[in-house]
Amino acid sequence: MAPVAKKIPVERTHHGDTVIDEYSWLLNKDDPDTIAYLEAENAYTQEMTAHLKDLQDTVFQEIKSRTLETDLSVPTRKGAWWYYGRTEEGKQYGIQCRVAADGDSPPELKPGEPLPGEQVLLDGNELAGDSPFFSIGTSAVSPDGARLAYSTDYTGDERFTLRFKDLVTGEILSDEIPGVFYGGAWSADGSTFFYVTIDDAWRPYRVHRHTLGSDEPDVVVYQEDDERFWVGISLTRSKRYLVLSANSKITSEVRILDAAEPTGEFTVVRPRRTGVEYGLDHAGDDFLVLHNEGAVNFELATAPVTDPATWTPLIGHREDTRLLDVDAFKDHIAVHFRRDGLTGVRILPRDGREPYEISFPEPLYDVAPSGNAEFETGRLRLSYTSMVTPPSVYDYDLRTDELILLKRKPVLGGYDPADYEQFREWATAEDGTKVPISIVVRKGTDRPAATLLYGYGSYESSIDPYFSVARLSLLDRGFVFAIAHVRGGGEMGRLWYENGKLTRKKNTFTDFVACARHLKAEGWSSRIIARGGSAGGLLMGAVANLAPELFAGIVAEVPFVDALNTILDPSLPLTVIEWDEWGNPLHDPEVYAYMKSYSPYENVDGRPYPPILAVTSLNDTRVFYHEPAKWIARLRAAATGGPFLLKTEMGAGHGGRSGRYDSWREEAFALSWIIDRAG
């Protein structure tokens, strides 16, 4: 029998509007009643999915059997070493390694074998021990290759402990710093490490300087007091400058410091100005500055090292092209961009030759520079994938214009890309906007077919065409898989994002509904199951309220479904930062009314809803477990239809379970539920 959550009505009034929240008590993780309720929900979900156990095991074995469990990544050159990661059959976590460099080409990979002369830097399996959760937050080798800074998390709350390893002796140094955030940067000589800590709202707000071996307290070199801003620190590829960035959702401010003078003072490149975002990389006598001042899709400029505030356009603004990132090298510049819903790479030679773009053969794909640690190189490392092509690593030779395939992720069991097809369709939204849909299907599949429709649509994050081993378990059973590239994401440029946030957020939800209707109208889909996570979980909750009749099931993972209550509470992690994304309902009655009109928890009614599977984690610091717990409780009390299931990982964070076999089992659980809902 389904658990029934007790009701403890709490009355709240904002802008003259009074609401009753019966389930806010679930916010108290220390209350034994909360834990008991979550455990009861887990037991009910297990009972309701018991008939899927054999299917879960089958799908897990399919994922496992297609995966080369003992494998190596393509080595990346950094200084005198090639760095790579590898996995071993039967082990949950990866192993970080390096070998001495000899020549410009990476060592030849032999599947299942470590490279000769291998030095193990970190073995995640040894570090994890018997812990049910384990994650590495930072892994940074000093510029001279002699030391490693690394951080670990054993609960999933993304608060890491920072440690240091002497890579010459193998000794773990006595320096140990708890409570740090992701990232960090070394000084040029490797004597000093800069790291970031968070405040009570889980906001990265301080940058500290740690001198290895020193007994003196670490120095706070920067503190960001504006609660809308996050801070981070990095070292340029040239190893010449430390870059300290403070960013809100809409504004940037960058400080720089000569990496050879770690005790010096950081200087501001340009003071922050609301709505202006910028970042930089170092390129010899200049900085390269990517910014949106007067350029909604961003512009690339140069700035003298002696006067970094003076920006001279290098690539001007284009309405059809969103500049995403820039990588500076001694002899060339690589620009990552987005156009017509696809990513691309533009090369700017520094020898006077004309700029050009690298071409790729597939109609749908995703490409990005990746793993380019060296400043002086004649090659550009690229990551590439499509909905039918497994993740691939290329070196692009800048002298010969040759694309050299270094590795394509093996897919065992006789996978052949030619057995599958990918398509691009365009749905028409309520306001006439054309919304792209990426589709993949096995050739010969009868249509209309059961369809899994995935969406996200927030933070300008793009869900580009990508390959999935696990997805084959759907495609080979006759499913269509589709991605709805809805507004709020960045697939079609910055305005695509702008038109799906703040008081235009509902476009995200109506776009998804339009995509679902298009797939049915054009004969692609019979029964549609929707899936999304985090802010994509908000999308799932919203479309469940908007058009429940369209969906045969909904999977909402770590879903942001109690959006209004969360964004009203500035004491919760990330809330103040999020006001630039969603608006400030605490102080603006129009924003309050708008958010209340779409927030999933507030809009549950008595209509029949499709079956819903909500998955969350107890230690999630980004979307608290109580959001889906409250949502499922209200659905069960107020709605019809269902069933409504809640599954809570009791020892994990936002990303779910950490080990690869555990994550495969979780995916098998979700896929078996999806297959069952498709009949």
Side-chain angles (χ1 to χ4, degrees):
M1 184 175 178
V4 177
K6 65 183 180 182
K7 295 183 179 181
I8 304 177
V10 174
E11 185 176 292
R12 298 191 183 94
T13 301
H14 295 283
H15 310 296
D17 179 55
T18 299
V19 296
I20 304 296
D21 187 352
E22 313 97 321
Y23 304 112
S24 63
W25 62 272
L26 283 166
L27 183 57
N28 185 1
K29 187 165 70 170
D30 297 325
D31 185 345
D33 286 351
T34 297
I35 300 302
Y37 174 74
L38 296 176
E39 289 174 341
E41 287 283 5
N42 281 347
Y44 176 65
T45 296
Q46 185 174 5
E47 175 189 340
M48 293 294 290
T49 58
H51 65 291
L52 300 176
K53 181 64 170 63
D54 289 345
L55 180 57
Q56 290 171 27
D57 291 342
T58 298
V59 173
F60 171 79
Q61 289 299 330
E62 289 171 0
I63 297 170
K64 187 172 181 290
S65 67
R66 294 188 185 108
T67 303
L68 184 61
E69 297 178 64
T70 300
D71 200 7
L72 294 85
S73 68
V74 177
T76 296
R77 179 72 179 266
K78 183 179 179 183
W81 301 87
W82 290 102
Y83 291 83
Y84 61 98
R86 61 180 178 85
T87 55
E88 293 183 2
E89 184 174 353
K91 294 185 177 181
Q92 292 268 32
Y93 301 101
I95 302 167
Q96 298 182 18
C97 311
R98 70 180 184 181
V99 295
D102 181 18
D104 293 333
S105 298
E108 181 182 354
L109 300 178
K110 296 180 179 179
E113 296 182 25
L115 296 177
E118 174 183 274
Q119 179 185 3
V120 173
L121 307 183
L122 291 177
D123 186 333
N125 305 286
E126 291 181 3
L127 290 170
D130 296 328
S131 174
F133 183 90
F134 171 73
S135 177
I136 294 175
T138 296
S139 179
V141 177
S142 59
D144 61 4
R147 296 183 180 91
L148 172 71
Y150 70 98
S151 63
T152 53
D153 167 24
Y154 292 89
T155 66
D157 66 358
E158 299 180 84
R159 290 170 170 83
F160 299 86
T161 297
L162 179 64
R163 296 179 177 88
F164 300 88
K165 182 177 181 179
D166 187 318
L167 297 181
V168 177
T169 66
E171 174 191 8
I172 304 298
L173 305 182
S174 59
D175 312 60
E176 185 174 302
I177 307 166
V180 306
F181 193 62
Y182 295 97
W186 287 97
S187 63
D189 63 0
S191 67
T192 305
F193 191 76
F194 294 83
Y195 63 92
V196 177
T197 57
I198 55 179
D199 63 12
D200 292 339
W202 199 76
R203 177 180 67 96
Y205 80 122
R206 279 179 175 167
V207 177
H208 306 251
R209 184 179 69 231
H210 175 75
T211 302
L212 269 67
S214 173
D215 294 328
E216 296 295 320
D218 290 352
V219 177
V220 176
V221 298
Y222 181 75
Q223 176 171 313
E224 178 55 64
D225 294 322
D226 189 327
E227 294 180 344
R228 299 170 300 169
F229 283 76
W230 289 35
V231 300
I233 189 161
S234 60
L235 182 67
T236 59
R237 181 178 290 102
S238 67
K239 304 178 181 63
R240 286 282 307 279
Y241 291 93
L242 290 155
V243 180
L244 193 162
S245 301
N247 298 290
S248 74
K249 300 289 185 185
I250 60 172
T251 305
S252 304
E253 186 176 70
V254 175
R255 289 167 168 79
I256 54 175
L257 175 65
D258 188 328
E261 303 291 340
T263 60
E265 294 292 326
F266 284 85
T267 58
V268 176
V269 173
R270 274 197 188 181
R272 67 188 65 174
R273 188 154 62 85
T274 299
V276 175
E277 301 170 63
Y278 71 96
L280 58 75
D281 197 3
H282 174 239
D285 295 332
D286 296 314
F287 289 115
L288 296 175
V289 183
L290 194 65
H291 70 89
N292 70 340
E293 185 176 40
V296 66
N297 272 330
F298 285 71
E299 176 179 278
L300 182 63
T302 61
V305 166
T306 54
D307 185 13
T310 299
W311 300 348
T312 302
L314 181 61
I315 298 180
H317 176 262
R318 284 177 54 168
E319 291 185 0
D320 67 343
T321 303
R322 166 72 159 94
L323 302 185
L324 300 172
D325 202 2
V326 59
D327 291 306
F329 302 90
K330 181 176 181 291
D331 297 321
H332 66 282
I333 296 165
V335 179
H336 190 212
F337 67 86
R338 180 179 299 283
R339 186 185 303 134
D340 297 329
L342 295 176
T343 52
V345 178
R346 185 172 179 82
I347 303 298
L348 282 68
R350 308 192 76 185
D351 60 2
R353 288 184 296 154
E354 288 296 311
Y356 60 94
E357 295 175 4
I358 304 174
S359 61
F360 301 95
E362 295 184 273
L364 297 179
Y365 60 86
D366 181 32
V367 65
S370 176
N372 294 287
E374 288 291 274
F375 184 65
E376 297 187 24
T377 178
R379 290 187 171 191
L380 178 69
R381 178 69 54 83
L382 299 171
S383 63
Y384 178 94
T385 188
S386 77
M387 299 185 85
V388 300
T389 302
S392 307
V393 178
Y394 287 93
D395 266 359
Y396 179 73
D397 191 311
L398 291 137
R399 292 157 293 201
T400 65
D401 297 332
E402 180 184 8
L403 267 176
I404 305 165
L405 178 63
L406 300 178
K407 180 171 183 174
R408 179 156 289 150
K409 183 177 180 178
V411 181
L412 307 182
Y415 173 76
D416 185 350
D419 292 337
Y420 302 84
E421 299 175 284
Q422 56 180 348
F423 302 89
R424 172 60 58 85
E425 293 267 330
W426 297 84
T428 303
E430 289 183 352
D431 61 1
T433 299
K434 298 296 184 180
V435 182
I437 311 170
S438 296
I439 300 170
V440 63
V441 65
R442 187 179 178 96
K443 288 181 179 177
T445 296
D446 292 332
R447 305 173 198 161
T451 298
L452 179 60
L453 179 60
Y454 187 85
Y456 187 75
S458 292
Y459 305 113
E460 204 180 358
S461 294
S462 300
I463 309 299
D464 290 304
Y466 68 98
F467 183 84
S468 166
V469 165
R471 185 195 299 147
L472 296 175
S473 292
L474 296 181
L475 301 182
D476 290 351
R477 285 177 171 83
F479 270 74
V480 169
F481 176 83
I483 304 169
H485 301 290
V486 295
R487 281 175 283 185
E491 286 89 341
M492 299 292 287
R494 172 51 70 93
L495 289 178
W496 198 250
Y497 166 53
E498 298 285 354
N499 286 320
K501 65 181 290 195
L502 298 172
T503 54
R504 294 182 291 276
K505 187 64 204 169
K506 289 182 184 179
N507 286 335
T508 303
F509 317 137
T510 54
D511 283 0
F512 191 87
V513 169
C515 289
R517 288 184 172 139
H518 176 90
L519 291 172
K520 287 196 171 186
E522 294 301 313
W524 284 99
S525 304
S526 52
R527 296 165 65 82
I528 296 178
I529 295 89
R531 187 177 189 182
S534 196
L538 166 66
L539 171 61
M540 295 299 100
V543 300
N545 290 327
L546 275 176
E549 73 284 354
L550 277 177
F551 305 104
I554 292 176
V555 181
E557 294 162 305
V558 291
F560 183 44
V561 285
D562 193 21
L564 178 60
N565 285 321
T566 293
I567 300 301
L568 278 167
D569 188 351
S571 70
L572 290 178
L574 305 182
T575 288
V576 175
I577 292 171
E578 294 288 309
W579 283 344
D580 283 334
E581 179 77 18
W582 311 99
N584 182 349
L586 187 62
H587 299 121
D588 188 329
E590 291 185 7
V591 171
Y592 173 88
Y594 187 77
M595 288 195 71
K596 187 181 178 185
S597 72
Y598 71 72
S599 183
Y601 182 61
E602 274 69 33
N603 288 282
V604 171
D605 59 28
R607 288 176 299 164
Y609 282 73
I612 292 175
L613 172 62
V615 180
T616 187
S617 296
L618 185 64
N619 296 327
D620 193 340
T621 52
R622 299 180 187 233
V623 179
F624 276 20
Y625 69 90
H626 75 270
E627 297 206 22
K630 290 171 60 179
W631 181 51
I632 291 295
R634 182 167 279 182
L635 279 165
R636 200 172 286 145
T640 58
F644 310 116
L645 304 181
L646 174 67
K647 187 175 187 293
T648 304
E649 288 298 329
M650 303 303 283
H654 193 64
R657 300 174 74 177
S658 56
R660 59 175 177 159
Y661 295 101
D662 289 341
S663 65
W664 294 348
R665 288 202 179 277
E666 288 305 295
E667 181 65 6
F669 173 83
L671 293 182
S672 67
W673 188 87
I674 290 165
I675 293 166
D676 187 55
R677 288 313 313 148

